[in-house]
Amino acid sequence: MPLAACRQAADSPDLEERQSPAERSCGDNGRLSTTLYGSIAREINWSADALRCESMLRPEGKGVRLRFIGDISENELSIILALPQLRPEATDPESPTVVTLTVEGSGRFFTTPTLESCWSDIQTQDRIGERDSRYDISGTLYCVAPLGEINGNAAISIPEMAFRGIVDWSAK
C-alpha cells in the first residue's frame, strides 16, 4: 500500500519549522481525537500542529483514503480511513469504512475484519477554493468490532473517533 511507505514524525521540530499555518496538511482546523483500547491503550487528541494528513483516490475511482499521522510516545502512528462509497462534496451519515492502524517502523498493522465493522458519519465536505479539488472534511468514525493485528494475535478497539482534515480528490 503506497500510503504505508511514508515515514516522518508528525510533530517533530523539522515538520513544525517547515509547516506554516497556511501549509498545514490537515488544514488550520485539522484534528483527530479518540481513545484506543486493547494492545495499544491510549487517548489521542491531535490538533493541526501535531498531525499530518494525506489522501488519495481508491482504485478505479471508488472513494478515497484519508491518512492521519501523529506521534504516540516514541512511535509514529498512522490511521487510514478507506471510504469506498464517498464522493466529492457529499456528506454521508453511514459511509462504510475500512480502518487500518499502523505503528510505523514496527511491523505492527491492525485492520477491520469486514466492511460492515466500521462506518463514518461524514458531517462536512467543503471545497477549500473555488477551483480547487481539495475539501475540508470532518466526521466521526464508529467501529463495532476490533481491528485485528495482521502479523499477530493482538487487537485494538476504536469505538469512536472524531476527525477533520483535507481530502484531495485529484490526488493519485
Side-chain angles (χ1 to χ4, degrees), residues 4-136:
C6 298
R7 174 120 169 72
Q8 181 174 348
D11 59 359
S12 69
D14 291 341
L15 181 62
E16 287 180 11
E17 288 171 11
R18 289 192 314 262
Q19 194 172 341
S20 71
E23 298 170 330
R24 290 180 177 153
S25 63
C26 301
D28 290 341
N29 299 310
R31 64 178 164 73
L32 185 137
S33 60
T34 190
T35 301
L36 304 177
Y37 300 94
S39 67
I40 299 176
R42 171 137 357 239
E43 183 142 346
I44 295 173
N45 194 11
W46 294 327
S47 66
D49 292 330
L51 183 63
R52 196 173 86 219
C53 296
E54 299 172 348
S55 68
M56 68 180 289
L57 298 180
R58 294 188 72 244
E60 300 175 15
K62 293 181 180 174
V64 69
R65 288 186 185 109
L66 301 172
R67 182 175 185 224
F68 298 90
I69 307 116
D71 286 339
I72 58 167
S73 301
E74 303 289 318
N75 297 303
E76 186 175 84
L77 188 71
S78 169
I79 300 173
I80 300 170
L81 306 179
L83 299 148
Q85 296 178 3
L86 190 63
R87 300 291 172 246
E89 298 184 28
T91 57
D92 188 350
E94 294 183 10
S95 186
T97 307
V98 175
V99 182
T100 303
L101 185 144
T102 305
V103 180
E104 299 292 335
S106 73
R108 295 190 80 189
F109 296 90
F110 301 83
T111 193
T112 51
T114 67
L115 194 57
E116 293 81 30
S117 299
C118 299
W119 68 93
S120 294
D121 288 344
I122 304 300
Q123 285 109 18
T124 63
Q125 192 179 175
D126 301 321
R127 189 183 299 262
I128 293 173
E130 198 171 299
R131 296 183 182 190
D132 202 338
S133 60
R134 296 177 318 132
Y135 291 77
D136 181 329

